Each structure stands twice: as C-alpha cells, then as structure tokens.
Amino acid sequence: MAKALIVLAPGFEEGETVEIIDVLRRSGFSCDSMSIAEALVSGAHDIKIEADYILNDDLTSFFNYDMLILPGGWSGVDAMLNDSRVLDLVRYYNKHGKFVAAMCAAPNVLAKAGVLTGKTMTAYPGQKTEPFYSDAHYVNDVVVKDGNLITSRGPATALPFAFALVDVLGGDSSFIKKRFLYQDLKNYPDGTESVILKGEQRSW
C-alpha cells in the first residue's frame, strides 16, 4: 500500500491538513505527519497537532514514501520556504518521480525548489502567490495534475484535492465520496444560501 508524508510547519492551515490526512487514512493509505519544528505544531488558528515524526538533518529516513504533501497556511508556507531541508525533500521526490502535492500557498515552495518550470499548476490566487509561477502555466482549476505534481487552490478545495491524491496513489475515492455525501454538494444552492430549518426554508 502506498505511503504519504505530510509536512507540518508552524502556521499550517489546519482544515486542509486534517482533511488530507483523514481522507487518505480512510482510504487505507498510510499518511504520516512530519514536523519541521517541535513535535506539537500550532496551526494558523492555534489548533495544535502532534506530529508522527520530526524532521532532522538526516533526510534519508523520509525518502521511502510515495508522496510528499505540503498544505497551505501563510506562516506555514513561509517556514517551509525558509527551510532548506524541505526544499531538498521536494527536489528529491521530484527527481525520483515520486508524487509531490501542494495546495493553497504551498506551491510557492515548489517554485522555490525549482520543480514547477514548464508545469501546469494552480494555487491560491493573488500577489503573494501568482508571481512565483512565472516559469509555470498557472490556471484556476480546482485540482491540477501534471505528471507527478498535484496542486490545488485553498481551504474549500481540500476535499477534492484529497480525493485526487487517493486516486493517483492507486485508490478509489468514489467510496469515500459516497460516505462523505460529497456528491450532494452539487445540489447545494448557488447565490443565496439557504438552510432547511424545522421544515421551512430560511434564506440568509
């Protein structure tokens, strides 16, 4: 069974991170978390997660995964950008054809590692991200796969991103989508949001 490694940096986006770990593990894959700081890592909204492992200067123990995942979160991404060990891991995984997945602002790390040149990709929009991708082809799709690189846009795209990771690892996300009632989102009203409350439809 394929194994994935997700990076935890102080200030990581909690929703994205937990959704990815949850979906991968529900799908039967191993998904370990690795902190680049202390064992207990604080997210962007002060939610703390205890990492399975802590990154040290010997990267070889983290070479045996099939996928490296970088979640977003502005402070977390800044921490990864300034950590040469994370950049080296990205380069190693890319060089050996292993999957490298990043979402929200985390594709900035892929750009700094030099693995986005000529690639079609996506990320959180704006001046803090898009200028990083001058050597890539930036698109607005929810999830983009180009070879071994998988990218996505922001907190609301965490679920489709996680499902895509399941599929590229050789799993079948349709079962988890069904359990999550994911397809029901297609029927969620556009424009004015509404909720059914005690038999009445209330608009907000």
Side-chain angles (χ1 to χ4, degrees):
M1 185 64 72
K3 302 190 300 179
L5 180 68
I6 190 165
V7 179
L8 297 182
F12 66 92
E13 181 63 51
E14 297 98 333
E16 296 170 3
T17 306
V18 174
E19 288 280 23
I20 293 166
I21 296 172
D22 180 39
V23 169
L24 286 174
R25 290 184 178 179
R26 284 175 188 255
S27 300
F29 295 108
S30 169
C31 183
D32 292 335
S33 58
M34 177 196 69
S35 170
I36 67 172
E38 305 297 326
L40 196 63
V41 190
S42 292
H45 306 92
D46 296 324
I47 299 174
K48 295 178 174 60
I49 293 182
E50 185 174 2
D52 298 308
Y53 299 101
I54 299 175
L55 181 62
N56 53 42
D57 291 333
D58 179 11
L59 304 183
T60 58
S61 58
F62 299 104
F63 286 171
N64 62 336
Y65 291 85
D66 302 285
M67 176 182 285
L68 180 68
I69 307 169
L70 311 180
W74 296 116
S75 297
V77 169
D78 285 343
M80 289 189 286
L81 283 169
N82 291 310
D83 194 317
S84 61
R85 301 169 303 173
V86 175
L87 299 175
D88 285 343
L89 275 176
V90 169
R91 293 178 185 122
Y92 176 88
Y93 272 73
N94 185 67
K95 179 180 178 180
H96 290 83
K98 295 172 178 279
F99 291 113
V100 179
M103 70 173 302
C104 199
N108 286 13
V109 182
L110 307 191
K112 187 171 181 179
V115 303
L116 284 183
T117 302
K119 295 291 187 177
T120 300
M121 49 77 62
T122 193
Y124 196 83
Q127 290 302 308
K128 294 177 69 175
T129 52
E130 293 179 58
F132 276 79
Y133 315 134
S134 58
D135 293 333
H137 176 52
Y138 177 85
V139 296
N140 293 323
D141 296 352
V142 171
V143 179
V144 177
K145 180 182 181 296
D146 188 343
N148 64 310
L149 301 183
I150 307 103
T151 51
S152 190
R153 307 204 72 203
T157 70
L159 270 181
F161 181 60
F163 295 144
L165 301 187
V166 168
D167 292 334
V168 301
L169 286 172
D172 181 1
S173 64
S174 61
F175 175 74
I176 304 297
K177 288 177 181 177
K178 184 176 181 180
R179 294 290 298 269
F180 276 26
L181 306 180
Y182 182 68
Q183 299 302 325
D184 289 5
L185 291 177
K186 293 180 179 179
N187 300 320
Y188 199 79
D190 294 325
T192 303
E193 295 182 356
S194 62
V195 62
I196 304 301
L197 184 63
K198 294 184 178 178
E200 300 179 3
Q201 181 166 296
R202 304 286 181 89
S203 296
W204 302 89

